Amino acid sequence: MTREDASRGSARNPRRELVENQILDQATRLFAEKGFASTTLQDIADATGLTRPALYHYVANKDALLARLVSESTETPAAVLHDINERTDLSPTEKLRKMATAIAINQAQSSDRFKLIIRSEADLPEEISRKYQQSRRHVLKEFVLVIERGIKTGEMRPVDPRTAALGIIGMLNWVAWWHQSGDADADRSVATHLADMAIRTVAKNDGEPSAPEGPERAIAMLRQDLDYLERLLKD
């Protein structure tokens, strides 16, 4: 689903959306159990309770189903992150909180689809794989940008933006493996908690020092500042 599709959401047919979601859920289950190559459209039709001709009213072929699963798992989140990053009414810290929350909720609510794509990554058709990798790069880029801006404004520590972004994304993606979805309040609670953790990984420590005062802490701070200076000089 693209952003354009989402903006027309209120005009879509609720019945059609319900059936499409059922088809995607059953396709996800069957692809995971039997493999993409071994799953037929008839299998998906039977699992959804549709005839094969009726299924064609909703999907053209298996590749189209897989392409939509990939889109909703990676392309749509990347677009959401970009929209948040473009907002001028939020500070970098506020943007990072919203971005982390959005990714965590998406992974919590679409865990089966996300895990399927990860497990099938090596077997994705070339065009779908290209779009998937491109979307992953876009997600990383948006997190790197917001951390870079946070460092420049002084809200965030001079960490390596790419390393920090990868660490945060990994933490958020892992939700798909350990969180049991089905409760919207629980999904929101987990996402909020992880967003707080994401902020703490890069935010300046305005409270008690994380390490005892002394030479070791001073050296660590100097190394961090020197790393930041080195990156600035390379730009």
Side-chain angles (χ1 to χ4, degrees):
M1 182 184 293
T2 65
R3 277 182 288 178
E4 184 180 358
D5 292 331
S7 68
R8 295 198 303 261
S10 58
R12 289 176 64 99
N13 185 324
R15 166 63 181 170
R16 183 179 182 87
E17 287 188 345
L18 177 63
V19 175
E20 287 177 349
N21 283 328
Q22 290 174 341
I23 292 171
L24 287 169
D25 287 343
Q26 293 301 327
T28 299
R29 180 181 63 81
L30 289 168
F31 290 162
E33 290 177 359
K34 303 178 63 173
F36 178 73
S38 299
T39 301
T40 67
L41 281 179
Q42 187 63 57
D43 293 332
I44 297 170
D46 292 342
T48 314
L50 298 171
T51 63
R52 183 158 177 167
L55 184 66
Y56 284 120
H57 287 292
Y58 300 94
V59 60
N61 50 51
K62 286 195 304 179
D63 280 2
L65 270 175
L66 187 60
R68 180 164 172 181
L69 287 173
V70 170
S71 173
E72 293 188 358
S73 294
T74 54
E75 291 181 29
T76 300
V80 170
L81 296 185
H82 180 74
D83 288 343
I84 294 172
N85 241 342
E86 289 294 296
R87 290 180 60 174
T88 58
D89 60 323
L90 299 174
S91 69
T93 300
E94 292 168 331
K95 289 179 181 179
L96 179 57
R97 184 181 301 280
K98 287 187 176 293
M99 291 164 65
T101 300
I103 293 299
I105 288 179
N106 182 75
Q107 303 302 55
Q109 296 179 342
S110 307
S111 59
D112 287 343
R113 298 179 187 182
F114 178 74
K115 286 187 287 187
L116 169 67
I117 293 168
I118 293 298
R119 291 165 178 162
S120 307
E121 187 174 351
D123 301 319
L124 292 175
E126 183 176 352
E127 179 62 19
I128 295 176
S129 178
R130 184 186 64 78
K131 290 183 178 179
Y132 170 64
Q133 295 299 335
Q134 184 179 55
S135 296
R136 289 183 63 184
R137 288 193 294 270
H138 286 169
V139 167
L140 176 60
K141 176 184 176 183
E142 297 300 334
F143 275 102
V144 169
L145 282 175
V146 77
I147 293 171
E148 287 177 340
R149 290 168 183 166
I151 293 171
K152 288 180 180 178
T153 61
E155 294 178 37
M156 300 177 190
R157 294 180 290 109
V159 297
D160 179 75
R162 188 174 187 275
T163 300
L166 287 168
I168 290 172
I169 293 169
M171 176 181 70
L172 300 173
N173 283 347
W174 194 246
V175 176
W177 273 266
W178 60 261
H179 176 65
Q180 295 296 319
S181 187
D183 183 333
D185 290 337
D187 294 344
R188 171 62 63 173
S189 177
V190 166
T192 299
H193 187 64
L194 288 174
D196 287 341
M197 294 175 65
I199 296 296
R200 292 192 193 105
T201 64
V202 294
K204 281 193 172 180
N205 184 11
D206 294 324
E208 292 297 319
S210 57
E213 294 288 352
E216 289 187 5
R217 183 166 186 265
I219 291 171
M221 293 174 66
L222 282 171
R223 283 175 176 164
Q224 193 175 63
D225 289 339
L226 286 171
D227 287 342
Y228 180 50
L229 177 61
E230 186 178 53
R231 290 199 302 273
L232 286 178
L233 293 174
K234 287 180 179 179
D235 291 342

